[in-house]
Amino acid sequence: MKTNRWVASSQRLYCWLLQLYPQAYRAIYESEMLHLFSDQCQEAYKQRGRAGILSLWLRTLVDVGVTVIREHLSDPDARVGLLDAAPNKPLPWKGVLLVLIPGLIFFVSQIEQVTSNNDWFFLAFYRAGYFLILPVLLVWLVTRRFPVWGLIPLGLLYETLWNYSQRSNLGNLPFIGHWFDNDSVVLFGMRTSPYDLKNSLVVSLCAILLGILIWYSARQRQISRSAWKWLGVYGLMIALSIAGEFYRFASWWPLDETREYFLQIPVWDLYQTLPFLLLVFIGMFFARKHGGLTFLLLLGYLLPTVIFGRYGSWNEPISFYLVSLAVLMYRFVVALVAPVWLVRAASVPGRQRAAAIPVAIAIFCHVALNFIVSLAWAGEIGYPATVFELVFNSWGQLIVAAGLALAVTLYLPREKDQAVASPPALAAATE
Amino acid sequence: MPHTSSSLVPGQPLTPAVFHILLALADGDKHGYAIMKDVEHQTAGRLKLGPGTLYGTIKRLLAASLIVEVDERPDPELDDERRRYYRLTALGRRLALEENERLTQAVKAARSKRLADNPLS
C-alpha cells in the first residue's frame, strides 16, 4: 500500500517524540503506540485529508506533553537522571539537559553582554540564582532527595548571596542592623567601619564553620593525604596573598590614617577566600550521595565569574575579539563543556579528567585575559607593570584553582588515597 | 509493589478514561486501537484518547490487575500479530460496576432535582 507523504512524515515525527518517554516505558509500549498513531493518521487523512492530520497533531502534542511528564514522575526507573546519578554510569541525557540549564542561561547572557548595549544580562548574572533554586527546593521538598541537577543552582545561589553581601544595605538587618547604620562602630574598645565589622563577622563565622567541617571530615577519615596537601597549598596561598598585599602597600605604613587599612588586609583576603573553601567542605555532605558529581556545586560557584564584557575594570573598551575568545574559552568550558563531560563520564578517572581539564583551561584563559587587560591598562596610564603586579592581579584565580584541586581530591579520591583514608561513604558513592 | 493510582482506589470515582476503557473491554478482548475507537463511539466523539493517555492508563490498569494481557487472538487470520490484546478481569468488572452504580445514582439524583426542567436562565 502506498503511504501518503503527510502520514509518513507524521509517523517519523511521532517516532522521534516517543524518545521523550522513559526507557522502561518505551520498551513495553513504543511499538504499540507507534502502531496506534499510524492507524489514527491513516484514518484522519482518509476522512479529512491534511486538515485531519493537523487536527490529529494538535491533540497528539497535548497528549504527548502531558503523558511524558506523568510517566517520568510515576516510573521509579525514570528517577535515575532526574534525581540521582547511578554510580559509575553516565547520567542519561534527560538529566544532562537539566544540568545544563544554568550554564545555557549564563552562556546566552554573556553573548548578549559582548554583542549589544542592552544590560539585561545583569539580571542573569545577579538574580538567576534566586530563580533557578526554586524548582530544586520544590523537588527536594516533594521527593526528599536533593537532585543532581540542583548542585549547580545551589553553588550559584551561594556565590550570589556572598557576592551580594559585599554591597547590600546591612542597616536593614534585624537586631544588628543599627551597627551598620553608623559611620563607625566601637567594638571591644576598637573603632572600626561597619563594613570592616561585617567582613570580620563573616570571616569569623566562616572560620568557625570550616573548623567544624574539617574536624568532622577528618574524624570520618574522609580527607585523603592528597586532600591534606591541597588544603595546605590553599592556606599557603592565602598567607602569600596577605604578605603580598602588605608588601604592595608597605610604603604607606608609617601614615596614621592608613594603619586601619593595614589591619584590615588579612580580614579582606580571608573574606575573599574562606567562603569558597567553606563551600568545598559543604560539598562533602553532597558527596556522600552524588560522589564526584558534587564538583557541579563548584561549577555553579564559578558560573557568574566576571571575565570582562565590552569594558574592563576601568571602563576602558576591550577588543571584541579578545572578549569573544574569553567568552568562548571560559564561559563555554565552565558552563557547558565541564558539566556535560563530568556527568557523562562513567569512571572515577574519567570524572577526575572531566573536572580538572576544562576548569584548568578556563582558569588559564581567565588569568591570561587578566594579564592582557592589566598590561594594556598599564601601557595606557604609563604605570610600569611589574611581574609581581601581574601575578598578584591573578592570584585570586590561582587560589580558586587550588580549591578546585582540593575538591577533586575530596570528592574523587584516587584508589591509593582511598586505601589510606578509606572514607566509607564517599568510596561507596563514587564506586 | 504494583503502582496504584489514586483513581484506581476501590470506592473512589474512576477517571473518565479508566471507566470508558473498562467499559470497552466489557464485551470482549480488544487491542489498543479497538479500545480507542470503542471509547470514541461510547462518548459520541467527546473523549478521544491519544496513544500516551491510552497506554499510560492501560499500564496502570495492568498494574492494578483490573485488566490482563492475553495471547489468544479473536481471529488469527485477520489479525496483526504485533498487536496486544487486553481482557477485563473480575476485579476490573467489579470496579466498573461500582462506577456504573455511582453514576446511575448521580443521574437519578440529578433527575429528582429536575435539573433539565429548571434552567437558570
Side-chain angles (χ1 to χ4, degrees):
Chain A
M1 192 180 89
K2 193 182 168 189
T3 309
N4 177 274
R5 189 166 54 90
W6 281 70
V7 173
S9 306
S10 296
Q11 285 170 343
R12 272 200 301 277
L13 183 58
Y14 190 71
C15 191
W16 181 80
L17 284 175
L18 283 173
Q19 302 303 310
L20 298 174
Y21 287 91
Q23 201 172 6
Y25 180 83
R26 284 204 323 265
I28 303 171
Y29 298 109
E30 188 174 24
S31 65
E32 282 279 295
M33 288 171 75
L34 185 60
H35 201 160
L36 189 142
F37 181 75
S38 302
D39 288 344
Q40 282 185 307
C41 274
Q42 300 278 5
E43 192 189 318
Y45 191 78
K46 208 159 66 181
Q47 287 179 351
R48 292 174 57 203
R50 291 175 191 176
I53 297 278
L54 287 175
S55 164
L56 174 65
W57 265 114
L58 283 177
R59 281 188 282 128
T60 304
L61 285 176
V62 175
D63 180 67
V64 169
V66 172
T67 55
V68 158
I69 294 169
R70 192 170 64 194
E71 293 309 325
H72 273 291
L73 290 176
S74 68
D75 191 341
D77 292 337
R79 289 188 172 184
V80 174
L82 287 178
L83 293 174
D84 309 324
N88 275 350
K89 278 190 182 170
L91 202 66
W93 283 105
K94 62 193 171 201
V96 177
L97 286 176
L98 289 172
V99 166
L100 270 183
I101 288 172
L104 282 169
I105 291 172
F106 273 76
F107 189 66
V108 171
S109 63
Q110 179 81 69
I111 288 172
E112 171 73 5
Q113 183 186 8
V114 296
T115 55
S116 80
N117 286 321
N118 298 328
D119 58 3
W120 65 258
F121 64 88
F122 276 125
L123 192 71
F125 270 60
Y126 296 117
R127 296 287 182 272
Y130 299 117
F131 300 107
L132 289 170
I133 201 68
L134 292 178
V136 180
L137 294 178
L138 186 68
V139 168
W140 197 5
L141 193 72
V142 171
T143 64
R144 303 196 178 176
R145 299 154 87 174
F146 192 88
V148 69
W149 47 269
L151 290 166
I152 288 184
L154 185 65
L156 179 62
L157 181 72
Y158 182 90
E159 206 282 336
T160 305
L161 289 174
W162 172 69
N163 197 19
Y164 187 62
S165 75
Q166 296 181 46
R167 290 187 292 272
S168 62
N169 182 5
L170 299 166
N172 289 335
L173 288 174
F175 307 116
I176 56 170
H178 62 279
W179 285 357
F180 301 104
D181 267 345
N182 304 322
D183 289 336
S184 63
V185 180
V186 178
L187 197 67
F188 304 121
M190 281 175 64
R191 184 168 293 279
T192 182
S193 79
Y195 285 94
D196 291 340
L197 174 64
K198 186 257 299 182
N199 293 347
S200 306
L201 285 174
V202 170
V203 165
S204 307
L205 187 66
C206 276
I208 291 168
L209 289 174
L210 253 176
I212 292 170
L213 288 180
I214 292 173
W215 172 79
Y216 177 76
S217 302
R219 220 176 127 81
Q220 297 284 314
R221 298 172 64 80
Q222 289 175 347
I223 306 180
S224 63
R225 277 185 194 159
S226 305
W228 280 118
K229 281 179 197 164
W230 278 111
L231 187 59
V233 169
Y234 196 91
L236 183 66
M237 289 180 82
I238 294 174
L240 286 173
S241 174
I242 295 169
E245 197 84 51
F246 276 125
Y247 171 74
R248 202 181 190 190
F249 297 105
S251 59
W252 294 6
W253 178 249
L255 300 172
D256 281 347
E257 60 265 31
T258 57
R259 202 156 289 161
E260 194 180 283
Y261 171 75
F262 271 84
L263 289 173
Q264 281 303 316
I265 284 177
V267 175
W268 182 246
D269 276 356
L270 291 171
Y271 185 84
Q272 296 292 331
T273 50
L274 283 193
F276 182 64
L277 189 59
L278 180 62
L279 184 66
V280 170
F281 276 92
I282 288 173
M284 295 293 281
F285 291 111
F286 295 95
R288 288 176 185 168
K289 181 170 164 56
H290 294 301
L293 297 190
T294 307
F295 200 80
L296 292 171
L297 186 71
L298 307 180
L299 290 180
Y301 183 91
L302 294 179
L303 259 192
T305 302
V306 175
I307 53 163
F308 299 109
R310 304 177 81 186
Y311 301 96
S313 302
W314 301 281
N315 219 26
E316 78 284 11
I318 298 178
S319 153
F320 175 77
Y321 297 105
L322 196 62
V323 175
S324 301
L325 186 70
V327 168
L328 277 176
M329 293 294 282
Y330 185 90
R331 197 66 71 199
F332 183 69
V333 164
V334 169
L336 303 176
V337 175
V340 176
W341 191 353
L342 198 66
V343 298
R344 291 295 296 170
S347 61
V348 172
R351 284 184 179 164
Q352 280 177 332
R353 279 193 295 276
I357 296 172
V359 174
I361 292 171
I363 287 182
F364 173 78
C365 165
H366 194 186
V367 169
L369 188 70
N370 266 341
F371 261 61
I372 294 167
V373 170
S374 299
L375 276 173
W377 177 247
E380 200 168 309
I381 64 166
Y383 182 78
T386 62
V387 175
F388 173 78
E389 287 287 340
L390 291 175
V391 172
F392 200 78
N393 284 343
S394 301
W395 198 248
Q397 279 88 61
L398 297 177
I399 292 180
V400 167
L404 292 167
L406 169 65
V408 170
T409 56
L410 282 173
Y411 308 152
L412 291 156
R414 290 175 299 178
E415 277 179 22
K416 67 174 186 178
D417 282 337
Q418 282 177 337
V420 172
S422 66
L426 201 60
T430 50
E431 282 309 310
Chain B
M1 195 180 110
H3 174 83
T4 52
S5 164
S6 58
S7 63
L8 300 179
V9 177
Q12 294 290 314
L14 300 177
T15 63
V18 169
F19 180 59
H20 286 292
I21 290 172
L22 293 179
L23 274 190
L25 293 173
D27 56 1
D29 303 345
K30 286 187 180 69
H31 53 68
Y33 187 65
I35 295 171
M36 195 197 74
K37 295 302 293 177
D38 196 301
V39 170
E40 213 174 309
H41 180 70
Q42 287 171 42
T43 59
R46 287 198 185 91
L47 183 60
K48 291 180 176 175
L49 298 176
T53 307
L54 177 68
Y55 284 100
T57 310
I58 285 176
K59 188 184 91 170
R60 277 171 264 281
L61 292 174
L62 285 168
S65 304
L66 300 182
I67 61 171
V68 285
E69 197 179 322
V70 287
D71 294 330
E72 301 157 35
R73 295 290 190 261
D75 187 353
E77 290 288 313
L78 300 171
D79 190 56
D80 182 342
E81 62 180 17
R82 288 174 301 173
R83 291 189 193 276
R84 290 181 189 173
Y85 279 77
Y86 302 96
R87 178 179 292 168
L88 194 64
T89 62
L91 181 63
R93 189 172 292 276
R94 207 181 76 202
L95 213 63
L97 270 173
E98 279 177 16
E99 181 67 7
N100 182 40
E101 279 169 25
R102 193 188 67 79
L103 290 173
T104 308
Q105 199 67 31
V107 171
K108 216 166 135 185
R111 282 195 178 139
S112 73
K113 300 277 181 188
R114 295 176 162 276
L115 270 183
D117 299 340
N118 297 302
L120 283 173
S121 55

